[in-house]
């Protein structure tokens, strides 16, 4: 333990003694401040750091603005019922699929027997909730009143 103390110069060793008060003058403190090493950087570096930080924040905002945000979607199962059993179901399906809107994607469909040889069309649709109003979609499909008696929502789930 003695060898590390011997490496300290005599003025430094005097401060180790009990009750010793270090003496300093104003000129020595200014010289010490100039020679002092700041671990966290000095004021000049702070200004440069702030500029770099603002540039990074601006770049991050620009990158975030370029990305498309998540839009909630819904999967809907429609039951489309014809007027009678003489309606051509392929033509009915073709007319339903002809409805096009932004954010609307028609999916699989099948014919389901109801009674007395009648069938109804079950068709899936995936809609973007922000772009498609389900009631408006229903009105557009029901506009084919020569083929369609009614249309019900059999299933509705959020994706």
């Amino acid at each position: 333990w003695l060898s590390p103390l011997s490496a300290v110069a005599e003025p430094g060793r005097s401060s180790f003694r009990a009750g010793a008060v270090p003496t300093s003058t104003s000129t020595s403190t200014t010289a010490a401040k100039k020679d002092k090493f700041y671990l966290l950087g000095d004021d000049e570096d702070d200004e440069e750091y702030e500029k770099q930080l603002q540039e990074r924040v601006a770049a991050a905002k620009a990158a975030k603005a370029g990305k498309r945000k998540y839009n909630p979607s819904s999967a809907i199962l429609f039951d489309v019922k014809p007027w009678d059993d003489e309606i051509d179901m392929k033509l009915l399906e073709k007319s339903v699929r002809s409805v096009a809107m932004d954010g609307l994607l028609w999916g699989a469909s099948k014919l389901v027997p109801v009674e007395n040889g009648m069938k109804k069309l079950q068709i899936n649709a995936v809609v973007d909730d922000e772009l498609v109003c389900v009631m408006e979609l229903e009105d557009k499909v029901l506009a084919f009143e020569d083929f369609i008696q009614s249309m019900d929502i059999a299933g509705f789930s959020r994706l």
Side-chain angles (χ1 to χ4, degrees):
W1 63 271
L2 188 58
S3 62
L5 286 179
S6 63
V8 177
E10 180 59 39
R13 275 190 263 162
S14 65
S15 65
F16 293 155
R17 293 189 189 115
V21 178
T23 60
S24 64
T25 62
S26 63
T27 57
S28 66
T29 57
T30 57
K33 285 184 181 177
K34 287 183 182 176
D35 294 337
K36 193 172 186 180
F37 176 72
Y38 293 102
L39 291 176
L40 300 176
D42 39 341
D43 294 339
E44 295 170 2
D45 291 340
D46 289 343
E47 293 171 6
E48 186 177 318
Y49 174 75
E50 289 295 325
K51 288 179 185 177
Q52 289 176 354
L53 183 63
Q54 289 174 355
E55 290 173 4
R56 287 184 200 156
V57 167
K61 285 182 180 179
K64 194 174 189 180
K67 291 182 181 178
R68 184 171 184 245
K69 65 176 189 170
Y70 171 73
N71 289 338
S73 301
S74 299
I76 306 170
L77 179 65
F78 291 109
D79 280 345
V80 182
K81 299 172 192 138
W83 283 106
D84 58 14
D85 60 345
E86 295 176 3
I87 300 291
D88 184 14
M89 295 303 282
K90 294 199 185 268
L91 187 60
L92 180 115
E93 180 181 353
K94 187 176 179 181
S95 62
V96 169
R97 287 184 184 271
S98 70
V99 174
M101 299 171 75
D102 285 339
L104 170 66
L105 179 67
W106 292 108
S109 65
K110 67 178 181 177
L111 297 176
V112 179
V114 181
E115 61 179 56
N116 297 333
M118 281 191 68
K119 294 182 180 178
K120 68 178 178 182
L121 175 69
Q122 274 192 342
I123 188 165
N124 270 333
V126 176
V127 296
D128 187 346
D129 292 340
E130 292 182 1
L131 299 174
V132 177
C133 176
V134 177
M135 299 198 51
E136 183 180 334
L137 174 62
E138 201 169 353
D139 289 342
K140 286 186 177 187
V141 170
L142 289 174
F144 299 106
E145 54 192 28
D146 294 339
F147 303 116
I148 300 172
Q149 172 199 3
S150 65
M151 183 170 124
D152 297 324
I153 297 176
F156 193 105
S157 62
R158 300 265 175 180
L159 298 178

